[in-house]
Amino acid sequence: MSAFLLLSAGRGPQECAWALARLLHRLTADGTGRGLTIQQVQAVPGDRHGTYRSVLIQISGAGAETFAASWTGTLCWQAPSPYRASAGRKNWYVTAQPPHRDAQPTTFVEADVDIVACRTGGPGGQHRNKASTAVRATHRPSGIVVVVDEERQFSLNRRIALQLLRQRIEHGDEAARRAVTTARWRIHDELVRGDPVRVERPEPQRPGRRG
């Protein structure tokens, strides 16, 4: 069982990218303590070393979905800014949301294509009108249909029809991938500051022993 979470600092200041790294560390420790495996799938680093603008993680193990849900929403890292001593603000917000899944590519197989010979009207001579040299090709999984009558030979029209179907399916897959990417980036703009589902803070430092 696995679940995915996309953590984003949105368009917040550099402290939010720092907060994301701190929250990711806390989330990973929490998940590992529950016997889960946390893996980074993608990451966009921040301007400062060790910070992130966004991180896509995969959570694997029993109860992964429940754990992911407990970290879904607006998260707050409550600590003074490590970069600006004069900053009075101590709450730095990050959003964590299930991402849109990657679009699965369509595998083009000729066996999934129905080829039907047909006649088409228009110029081309008596041979084209009398003989069924045109091709109507239907890709059953996607429902895409093309009709080709460019050539006088059925075999040539068949070859062109298959090429057209392959191209249209590839273009459709590319459009689907762009839509997923757009939807993921939209999460960065959906960060709501305030009313967090979690507020995390640095662990209190323990006083050192005196020798």
Side-chain angles (χ1 to χ4, degrees), residues 1 10 57 62 71 86 97 112 120 126 136 143 152 157 160-161 165 168 179 182-183 191 207 210-211:
M1 181 181 295
I57 60 172
W71 280 85
S86 60
Q97 298 292 337
D112 292 334
T120 58
Q126 292 182 348
R136 186 177 191 271
R152 291 175 178 267
N157 284 329
I160 295 171
L165 281 177
R168 291 192 182 182
T182 299
L191 174 58
R210 295 184 178 179

Side-chain angles (χ1 to χ4, degrees), residues 9-70:
R11 301 184 184 278
Q14 58 187 349
E15 285 87 354
C16 291
W18 164 73
L20 194 156
R22 298 293 86 213
L23 287 163
L24 177 62
H25 179 76
R26 185 65 55 82
L27 181 156
T28 301
D30 186 17
T32 301
R34 298 170 187 267
L36 297 169
T37 301
I38 314 295
Q39 293 180 308
Q40 286 191 28
V41 179
Q42 294 176 348
V44 178
D47 295 333
R48 300 267 186 167
H49 176 71
T51 66
Y52 298 102
R53 297 308 306 180
S54 69
V55 177
L56 176 63
I57 60 172
Q58 180 178 9
I59 305 165
S60 304
E65 293 182 353
T66 301
F67 176 79
S70 71

Side-chain angles (χ1 to χ4, degrees), residues 70-168:
S70 71
W71 280 85
T72 297
T74 298
L75 312 176
C76 175
W77 183 256
Q78 195 172 78
S81 168
Y83 310 126
R84 297 178 294 170
S86 60
R89 176 178 168 185
K90 294 184 178 181
N91 294 325
W92 312 104
Y93 295 100
V94 169
T95 188
Q97 298 292 337
H100 291 263
R101 295 296 183 90
D102 289 328
Q104 297 300 316
T106 303
T107 302
F108 182 81
V109 180
E110 287 190 19
D112 292 334
V113 180
D114 291 330
I115 301 290
V116 178
C118 60
R119 299 180 185 180
T120 58
Q126 292 182 348
H127 175 75
R128 175 173 291 192
N129 292 331
K130 291 181 179 179
S132 299
T133 57
V135 168
R136 186 177 191 271
T138 303
H139 184 248
R140 293 191 303 276
S142 64
I144 298 175
V145 179
V146 297
V147 176
V148 178
D149 65 347
E150 297 178 12
E151 302 293 339
R152 291 175 178 267
Q153 295 181 28
F154 175 84
S155 61
L156 294 178
N157 284 329
R158 181 182 184 278
R159 184 184 305 171
I160 295 171
L162 291 173
Q163 290 175 347
L164 286 174
L165 281 177
R166 188 187 297 273
Q167 290 173 1
R168 291 192 182 182

